[in-house]
Amino acid sequence: MAQDDPTTLVSTAWLARHMKDPDLRVLDGSWYLPAAGRDPRAEYEAAHIPGARFFDIDEISDHRSDLPHMAPPVEKFMSRVRALGVGDGHKVVVYDGMGLFSAARVWWLFRLMGHDDIAVLDGGLPKWQAEGRPVESTPPVIRDRHMTVRRRPELVRNVTEVAQASKLGDHTILDARAAARFRGDAPEPREGLRAGHIPGARSVPYTDLLNDDGTMKEPDALRAVFDAAGADLSKPVITTCGSGVTAAVINLALARLGKTDHALYDGSWTEWGAFPTVPVATGDA
């Protein structure tokens, strides 16, 4: 079992022990690819961890962008999080309905906004329910609480910065998509995107970082995954994926290893694959 760390990852047992802490806030950060045919809000309304509030990744985003669920402006994040009753002094635990998938995106977003007191629930709702722990369908009573936001731009990268990093080779770029998509052997789920990967990137499918039960692997096993991928962790890391969701699983794994100089490419392949002036590589890295 992974060691509990309230700034990265906590176990279901840890959450069960702390459920009645007055300053604990639990968020359901479930999000699914369209092909999954699942409605995260409907699933939340049917059954969620007691007291949990639903964090809508698509709604709490920058709607001025044509790209999906880009990080929202500071003001929007503040207002939406306040409406969820989450604020200064709160310890946040976020989970999702797949085990460990989209919750890491919410973890990264809170950190981007300067709130480090947040952890992902290891194994998520599936593990919680498999252990017979309680769920409820009633919404929580929410009281507004102000959150001080200090955006940390070093945790996010744009297409220009990633293109420079790819060209110079001064960063390690890690791609969380499935290996077939990385190689360009499988079509992209979004129409109009080229197939392949950012030149110089390494393939680290987010699923390789997880155990069969959806929990994250132990630190030694995580290091072995990165080593097998040829990932040079002595350099700063930029993570990427399809649309900036599962890339955050890599960021979470890096944080578990104590690495601090890593950022997420928010536009990810949805932007890069459609951008006409950036190169695309195929095959293995």
Side-chain angles (χ1 to χ4, degrees):
M1 180 183 295
Q3 183 177 357
D4 292 315
D5 174 8
T7 65
T8 55
L9 199 67
V10 295
S11 64
T12 50
W14 184 98
L15 181 58
R17 289 196 306 271
H18 291 271
M19 283 292 289
K20 294 185 179 180
D21 289 3
D23 282 331
L24 178 74
R25 294 294 180 268
V26 181
L27 299 179
D28 183 329
S30 298
W31 178 89
Y32 306 109
L33 289 166
R38 297 176 64 174
D39 183 334
R41 184 177 289 276
E43 291 183 14
Y44 163 82
E45 292 173 352
H48 54 263
I49 292 176
R53 299 101 198 271
F54 183 69
F55 188 99
D56 191 331
I57 287 175
D58 283 329
E59 201 285 319
I60 308 175
S61 67
D62 189 353
H63 288 181
R64 301 168 302 180
S65 173
D66 293 333
L67 298 170
H69 41 253
M70 294 285 283
V74 165
E75 296 77 12
K76 183 173 185 179
F77 180 84
M78 288 176 64
S79 67
R80 296 300 192 270
V81 171
R82 179 172 182 169
L84 291 174
V86 179
D88 292 341
H90 280 150
K91 165 69 205 165
V92 181
V93 174
V94 58
Y95 70 88
D96 65 54
M98 285 187 65
L100 209 168
F101 179 68
S102 57
R105 168 73 186 194
V106 180
W107 169 84
W108 170 82
L109 184 57
F110 269 76
R111 294 184 70 248
L112 176 67
M113 298 298 177
H115 189 88
D116 288 338
D117 202 9
I118 180 168
V120 171
L121 181 64
D122 201 18
L125 187 62
K127 190 171 190 294
W128 181 268
Q129 289 183 299
E131 294 168 349
R133 302 188 189 275
V135 294
E136 64 183 14
S137 59
T138 54
V141 176
I142 292 177
R143 296 178 179 85
D144 281 7
R145 183 146 162 183
H146 174 73
M147 175 177 280
T148 303
V149 173
R150 299 182 182 87
R151 194 175 189 273
R152 299 164 66 188
E154 70 273 15
L155 298 187
V156 66
R157 294 288 180 267
N158 62 35
V159 65
T160 302
E161 293 166 327
V162 177
Q164 183 180 34
S166 171
K167 183 177 181 179
L168 296 179
D170 56 353
H171 288 66
T172 294
I173 302 173
L174 302 180
D175 192 323
R177 295 175 301 155
R181 288 174 65 189
F182 177 88
R183 293 191 302 267
D185 295 339
E188 286 297 308
R190 291 178 175 84
E191 292 184 7
L193 300 183
R194 295 172 292 172
H197 59 267
I198 299 167
R202 297 285 177 170
S203 177
V204 182
Y206 82 94
T207 50
D208 288 358
L209 303 171
L210 306 179
N211 298 307
D212 291 341
D213 63 354
T215 57
M216 183 162 277
K217 290 180 176 179
E218 297 288 345
D220 286 348
L222 293 176
R223 289 189 187 91
V225 172
F226 289 124
D227 288 346
D232 182 357
L233 299 188
S234 68
K235 297 179 182 179
V237 171
I238 298 172
T239 66
T240 183
C241 60
S243 64
V245 174
T246 58
V249 178
I250 300 181
N251 293 92
L252 181 63
L254 292 171
R256 291 289 287 174
L257 296 180
K259 187 169 176 62
T260 57
D261 52 345
H262 51 91
L264 185 148
Y265 172 27
D266 206 8
S268 282
W269 197 254
T270 301
E271 180 176 40
W272 191 279
F275 215 83
T277 60
V278 294
V280 168
T282 56
D284 294 320

